[in-house]
Amino acid sequence: MSKTTIRSIQEPARSIPVAAEYDVLVVGGGPSGLTAALAAAEDGLRVGLIESRSFVGGNMTIGLPVLGFLGQKGNQIIDGLPQKFIERLRRERNGASEHRPCPLHMGITLVEPEAVKTVALEMLTEAGVDVLFYTFCVDVVMNGDAIRGVITESKSGRTATLAKVVIDCSGDADVAFRAGVPCEKGDAQGGMQPPTLMFCLAGVDTDKLRMSVANAPPEARTYLTDFIPAEYFGQNNQFILVGLRELMAKAKNERHLDIPNERTIIITGLKKGEVWINMTRVKGTDGTDARSLTNGEIQGRAQIDDIVTYLVNYVPGFEAAYFTKTAPFLGIRETRRIVGQYVMTQDDVLSCRHFDDSIAVASYPIDIHRPADDGCTLIWCGDCYDIPYRSLVPTKVANLLVAGRSISVTHEAMGATRVMATCMAMGEAAGRAAKISVRGNRSPADIDVSELRRQQIAHGVYLRNPDGSRATELGPGQTS
């Protein structure tokens, strides 16, 4: 009996039930999806949110601090709903720190992952958002060039969910890609920033760690940390430490450790003695491919033991440290980016460009974990730059908005716009734009952007005037 390799099968046509209909449907419950749904639901619209995991919060739940609230001049440039979320985390769950200045990252906001999951879900349900977990978007429903909804798969089977406006907050442009929006991936060679599997250690003497840097002799300070003055560690008991390159090189050489990273990255947690480690690095991982993601998880976990060996035996304060947990999923830095009405560029970031249709202000530097080696590129602009509404509006497909790291930017610009506070700000703008679209019975591409900007300012969003000052009002007919 001859053997044949079956390359495909024909699935019979079938009728798919419509599970729900909304005014606005948000796909993805990460930082951008959370604020998109909250903004869209502000004045009574029917808003749904579908999420493939069992919780909302996305990358805020994997041990990372929230970056981007503070600008390069020390001022707060993300406000509105993202700020309200942090305030509630801090007030009700002791689940967030203040926005702490950081010489390398401009500002860090530490958050407790479990508190994020609880508070985010509470805010969504209180706002009347219909949340559905354990549900994957696998296709789209189109009416000509307009999206009508999405097809989902879950334990309940295959169903359709319809909406007047869909907001793609998947992080991977899943909806936009399936709807036919042109998308790009990676740099000029297709290389994408490698992901990291975060993990947590307890029993760390973080005071000993920080003071070992603060009190190091001047000749040692040039290599202990990247861009962060030693004095910073003497003044801050919660911090990010990035560096210790020579110490790690020594450990690799003496113990033959396999650590595919040239820097130590340690993030203090909110709990005493707890730190999160951002050092695993899985080059070549494609976050849109299940097999590649699986291999990334396998490789990331395999790297943890050598990293822990290094930390415990070489880094001050880690002598009694012990492993406690890994993040629930790989931290993906880059996958698809849509081609929108405007493609934001590196020059836009570095020139601190102001846009007449700005819907958010950002300041995080271009930060690229290089796809082809173990290093990182960092470039600062010195101040802030705007994110234009047109970069959230895809080409070729109507009734669709995109928020988060997969907006219309180049590989280099995405290195700056991908951080969580910025993504939350984009989500808030997309949710409010969707609301205006539904209320005005017009496509998101055709809304009055000046009205969107007025609503953003009225809800406390930080926008800039052309001279760089904070915009406090916007008169009728004005866009800037």
Side-chain angles (χ1 to χ4, degrees), residues 335-380:
T335 56
R336 302 186 192 101
R337 310 181 308 273
I338 67 162
V339 176
Q341 291 187 346
Y342 182 82
V343 180
M344 193 173 170
T345 68
Q346 173 175 291
D347 184 63
D348 292 331
V349 173
L350 298 183
S351 66
C352 301
R353 185 168 176 185
H354 171 74
F355 290 95
D356 287 346
D357 64 337
S358 166
I359 44 76
V361 175
S363 187
Y364 192 71
I366 292 175
D367 178 0
I368 299 174
H369 293 244
R370 295 194 293 269
D373 59 44
D374 295 342
C376 186
T377 296
L378 280 161
I379 313 173
W380 292 265

Side-chain angles (χ1 to χ4, degrees), residues 30-217:
S32 63
L34 165 65
T35 50
L38 290 173
E42 281 169 346
D43 63 355
L45 290 183
R46 294 168 298 146
V47 178
L49 185 151
I50 61 173
E51 166 57 49
S52 61
R53 301 184 176 96
S54 62
F55 53 87
V56 287
N59 281 348
M60 284 191 285
T61 70
I62 68 173
L64 290 168
V66 180
L67 304 179
F69 273 98
L70 300 183
Q72 292 178 34
K73 292 188 174 180
N75 57 320
Q76 184 171 341
I77 47 86
I78 301 290
D79 207 338
L81 283 174
Q83 177 63 24
K84 288 182 172 60
F85 176 69
I86 294 298
E87 289 172 353
R88 180 157 170 174
L89 267 180
R90 185 184 305 124
R91 181 178 67 250
E92 296 186 3
R93 300 278 173 172
N94 196 28
S97 71
E98 303 290 333
H99 305 311
R100 301 183 182 279
C102 174
L104 180 60
H105 301 94
M106 307 309 102
I108 63 172
T109 309
L110 304 178
V111 293
E112 168 55 43
E114 296 306 318
V116 167
K117 296 176 186 178
T118 299
V119 171
L121 186 57
E122 287 174 348
M123 292 178 71
L124 288 167
T125 54
E126 289 168 9
V129 176
D130 186 20
V131 178
L132 184 63
F133 291 134
Y134 304 104
T135 302
F136 286 86
C137 169
V138 296
D139 209 343
V140 293
V141 181
M142 300 295 293
N143 180 13
D145 65 355
I147 191 167
R148 185 69 182 89
V150 301
I151 305 295
T152 64
E153 289 275 7
S154 70
K155 289 285 188 180
S156 304
R158 191 173 180 92
T159 60
T161 302
L162 306 181
K164 296 174 183 176
V165 175
V166 177
I167 308 176
D168 185 347
C169 295
S170 64
D172 303 315
D174 286 337
V175 180
F177 177 74
R178 286 168 172 80
V181 175
C183 293
E184 298 177 342
K185 269 187 183 180
D187 58 17
Q189 291 73 44
M192 290 176 279
Q193 296 192 54
T196 292
L197 181 62
M198 299 284 293
F199 65 93
C200 184
L201 300 179
V204 180
D205 186 342
T206 56
D207 284 332
K208 182 177 180 179
L209 170 63
R210 70 186 181 89
M211 295 312 295
S212 72
V213 177
N215 296 329

Side-chain angles (χ1 to χ4, degrees), residues 196-199 258 280-282 293-308 323-330:
T196 292
L197 181 62
M198 299 284 293
F199 65 93
D258 181 17
T280 67
R281 187 182 182 99
V282 191
L293 282 168
T294 301
N295 291 337
E297 289 277 353
I298 293 170
Q299 293 181 47
R301 289 180 186 277
Q303 294 171 14
I304 290 175
D305 285 347
D306 277 8
I307 295 171
V308 173
F323 175 87
T324 59
K325 57 194 168 188
T326 57
F329 54 88
L330 277 172

